[in-house]
Amino acid sequence: GESVGLHLPTLSVQEGDNSIINCAYSNSASDYFIWYKQESGKGPQFIIDIRSNMDKRQGQRVTVLLNKTVKHLSLQIAATQPGDSAVYFCAENQGGSSNTGKLIFGQGTTLQVKP
Amino acid sequence: DAGVTQSPTHLIKTRGQQVTLRCSPKSGHDTVSWYQQALGQGPQFIFQYYEEEERQRGNFPDRFSGHQFPNYSSELNVNALLLGDSALYLCASSLPEADGYTFGSGTRLTVV
């Protein structure tokens, strides 16, 4: 079946520390993954994506790692700031190209940043 | 440039009623997808529209239907509302030549 899961429902970190949010997926044929940030009262906001032909991709303060062997991906946030507090979702794109497939979301990890 | 616009932002309906939610995609985007997000859960795919046709559908009953107009805007209709239909309904649009989706802020539907 199709499922995307996150390991921890809540992650609490100190401001300035690095955060790591994990996600496991079940479909070994999946080839495109996206991390989203969702703040209260808003829709999911794109953070970073990665294709299965890559192991790592970096953005501004964020890095996504993909381990296809164990079907695991992670989102690393460097120097976590209070504005990073939100729910983070990994999503797997299925059934089409990167802009036409359906997204399968995990349940989300709530990141709490302590000042 | 406006992003994805959804209306209304909130509404309350009674069990058994029907509801229509609206979505205007980001400028230039021609594909619109709808998702249902229950409280504390990740969004679940309902269906996707392209060229005014339903292109693919998730595991939702026929009470959920949609439409896409020539200007790419879209509607989600839900008939015979159940208490379990209470959720945040998200619209996402995408562009043919680029990766990814842009989400709206959603419509919060409460069924009482």
Side-chain angles (χ1 to χ4, degrees):
Chain A
E2 52 187 39
S3 67
V4 178
L6 292 176
H7 295 296
L8 289 175
T10 303
L11 176 65
S12 185
V13 300
Q14 204 70 37
E15 181 180 356
D17 286 351
N18 297 333
S19 303
I20 300 176
I21 301 172
N22 295 303
C23 179
Y25 63 95
S26 60
N27 188 346
S28 57
S30 299
D31 62 0
Y32 181 58
F33 304 89
I34 313 105
W35 280 99
Y36 287 95
K37 171 186 180 183
Q38 187 173 26
E39 297 174 288
S40 181
K42 297 183 179 180
Q45 178 187 359
F46 174 91
I47 301 173
I48 192 168
D49 59 1
I50 190 168
R51 295 188 179 278
S52 59
N53 60 353
M54 303 172 70
D55 296 324
K56 178 180 180 179
R57 193 168 187 210
Q58 289 184 292
Q60 187 176 11
R61 283 201 305 119
V62 294
T63 300
V64 55
L65 300 177
L66 176 63
N67 185 329
K68 294 177 287 295
T69 302
V70 295
K71 293 185 286 187
H72 178 274
L73 67 160
S74 65
L75 176 70
Q76 301 178 4
I77 304 174
T80 311
Q81 302 169 358
D84 295 327
S85 294
V87 180
Y88 289 80
F89 292 97
C90 63
E92 171 189 2
N93 190 76
Q94 286 190 355
S97 66
S98 60
N99 56 10
T100 61
K102 64 179 182 180
L103 296 175
I104 307 299
F105 285 82
Q107 289 197 326
T109 290
T110 299
L111 177 64
Q112 299 172 339
V113 182
K114 297 178 288 186
Chain B
D1 177 28
V4 177
T5 304
Q6 293 187 244
S7 63
T9 54
H10 299 82
L11 77 165
I12 300 173
K13 289 286 188 177
T14 304
R15 268 184 306 175
Q17 285 189 315
Q18 179 265 344
V19 68
T20 297
L21 311 181
R22 295 175 176 82
C23 172
S24 293
K26 188 174 180 179
S27 179
H29 287 195
D30 63 355
T31 301
V32 173
S33 304
W34 287 92
Y35 290 80
Q36 181 195 65
Q37 186 176 23
L39 199 61
Q41 304 293 315
Q44 284 197 298
F45 177 79
I46 303 175
F47 43 54
Q48 183 181 89
Y49 277 84
Y50 173 71
E51 291 187 343
E52 303 178 48
E53 296 286 332
E54 183 182 290
R55 178 156 61 183
Q56 53 182 320
R57 187 179 182 92
N59 188 25
F60 279 80
D62 292 344
R63 298 187 297 110
F64 289 77
S65 63
H67 188 79
Q68 186 179 35
F69 299 94
N71 66 353
Y72 307 131
S73 67
S74 177
E75 289 182 348
L76 164 65
N77 302 292
V78 187
N79 294 323
L81 284 166
L82 304 173
L83 295 179
D85 295 331
S86 296
L88 180 68
Y89 288 85
L90 295 162
C91 173
S93 69
S94 58
L95 189 62
E97 298 82 28
D99 288 344
Y101 302 83
T102 301
F103 281 85
S105 292
T107 294
R108 172 70 64 187
L109 172 65
T110 302
V111 182
V112 297

